[in-house]
Amino acid sequence: MGKAAILKELWDFMRVRKRWWLAPIIIILLLLGLLIIFTESSAVAPFIYTLF
């Protein structure tokens, strides 16, 4: 099962069951994950940690 299949299944779940409130939570978690991944090995990392 690929990543695209998982995303499609999640989208179908939210569409059929009317769980639209999950979308902002998922988006925020993805953005925080990307922030951590992109800043973990850079010179910006100490400044990011002060935000949290």
Side-chain angles (χ1 to χ4, degrees):
M1 189 175 214
K3 291 179 183 178
I6 293 171
L7 291 176
K8 184 182 180 330
E9 189 173 331
L10 179 64
W11 173 254
D12 288 340
F13 170 78
M14 288 185 352
R15 186 175 49 86
V16 170
R17 303 251 168 97
K18 305 287 192 251
R19 304 285 190 210
W20 298 114
W21 55 269
L22 285 173
I25 296 170
I26 293 170
I27 291 170
I28 289 173
L29 286 174
L30 286 174
L31 289 175
L32 283 175
L34 288 174
L35 179 71
I36 290 171
I37 289 171
F38 287 131
T39 60
E40 69 182 1
S41 64
S42 70
V44 183
F47 302 109
I48 298 297
Y49 289 124
T50 59
L51 294 176
F52 299 105

